Amino acid sequence: MPDFPIIDTHLHVWDHSKLKYSAFEGSPLFSRDYHVEDYRRDLGAVEVEAMVFLECYADFWDDGGQYLDEIRFVEEEARRDPGIKAIVPMAPLEWGSRAEPILAKMKEKHPTVRGIRRIVEFDIDPRALTLSDSFVEGVNLLEKFGYHFEINVHHHQMDIVRDFVSRIPHVPMILDHCGKPGIKEGAIAQYRDDVEELARCPNLFIKLSDLPVEADHAAWTDADLRPFIDATFESFGVDRTIFAMDWPICLQATSMTRWVETLDRALAGFSESDLRKFYRDNANSFYRLHL
C-alpha cells in the first residue's frame, strides 16, 4: 500500500432517483445507488487524498441530455465530501460547434469541470461517430475552454482510436482503462502494438485502471494482469500513466484494496519518486487539482 495519500482519477457516483441511467437497469450490481459515503467505506485501508468524478452514461438523446443535471448532482456529493476535486461530465461533442453553448455554461457556472468524456464504445456505429467531422470538431473545441478529453473504448475499437488521436493535435487526451484490453482472451500482442503506436501521440495519457474487469472476474491472478501493466509503462512511461480505481464498476471483479495491492506487487521495483508520479503527481497535474 502506498505510504502517502493517492489521487483516484475515476470515481462514479449515481442516484437513480435523481437521474435516469437506462444502461444500469436490470443489473443486480448497478441498479442500486452509489454515493461518496459508500466509496469512502469501500476504500478500506487505502488513503485517498482527492477524487475525480467521471460521468456515468446518464441517458441522453439527439437534441439534449442530463449533462448539467449530473454536474449539479456531483456538486452536491462534493459538498458532503470535498475530496471530490474535479468533475468530468458528458457533453454532446458530436454536435460540433453547436456544443459550444453547453461547454461555455459548464466553464462559467461549474469551475470544477476539468474535461469531457463522451463514450463512443456503446454507440451504434463507433467508427462513424468518432471519425465524423462534427465529433472531431467538438473535441478540438475543448482547447478553447482549457478542457481535456477522455477516450472510452473496447479493445476491438482501438484501430478507431489510432486514427482519431492524430486528428486532435492540441487537446490533452487520456485513454480510460487502458482501452479495455483483451485480458481474458490473452490478447497481449495486440495490446503491446496498440499502446506502442498510441504512445507516439504526445498529448495522449493513459489511465491504468479496471484491468480485473477485463479478465476472468472470479479467477483472475496477478499473472494475468502483469503483462498488460508492464506493456503500459514500457510504452507510455511513468510520466504519462495515471492511476485510477473505477469504483463501483471495478466491484464486478475486485475490491479497491485488492487492486492497489496488485499494483504494489507489479511496481515493487519503482522508485519512491516514480510511485508518487503514478499514484498522485501525474493526476494532480493532468486534472489541474492544485494540491
Side-chain angles (χ1 to χ4, degrees), residues 134-184:
S134 59
F135 189 78
V136 170
E137 179 185 30
V139 175
N140 280 316
L141 182 62
L142 298 180
E143 181 183 9
K144 178 176 180 178
F145 298 93
Y147 290 162
H148 72 274
F149 181 66
E150 306 231 359
I151 303 169
N152 192 108
V153 295
H154 186 265
H155 67 277
H156 291 307
Q157 300 161 338
M158 289 288 273
D159 60 320
I160 305 172
V161 179
R162 290 189 188 209
D163 196 348
F164 169 73
V165 297
S166 67
R167 306 179 188 205
I168 314 296
H170 303 301
V171 174
M173 296 176 286
I174 188 164
L175 179 64
D176 288 349
H177 317 315
C178 298
K180 300 187 178 181
I183 298 175
K184 193 172 184 179

Side-chain angles (χ1 to χ4, degrees), residues 183-232:
I183 298 175
K184 193 172 184 179
E185 300 92 326
I188 184 60
Q190 180 203 333
Y191 184 68
R192 288 193 180 110
D193 188 59
D194 284 333
V195 292
E196 182 180 357
E197 174 66 26
L198 289 172
R200 296 191 176 108
C201 178
N203 54 319
L204 179 65
F205 289 66
I206 194 165
K207 192 176 290 190
L208 183 48
S209 55
D210 233 19
L211 296 190
V213 173
E214 303 309 316
D216 185 318
H217 290 182
W220 66 270
T221 66
D222 285 19
D224 297 326
L225 308 190
R226 183 63 183 270
F228 295 86
I229 294 170
D230 290 347
T232 302

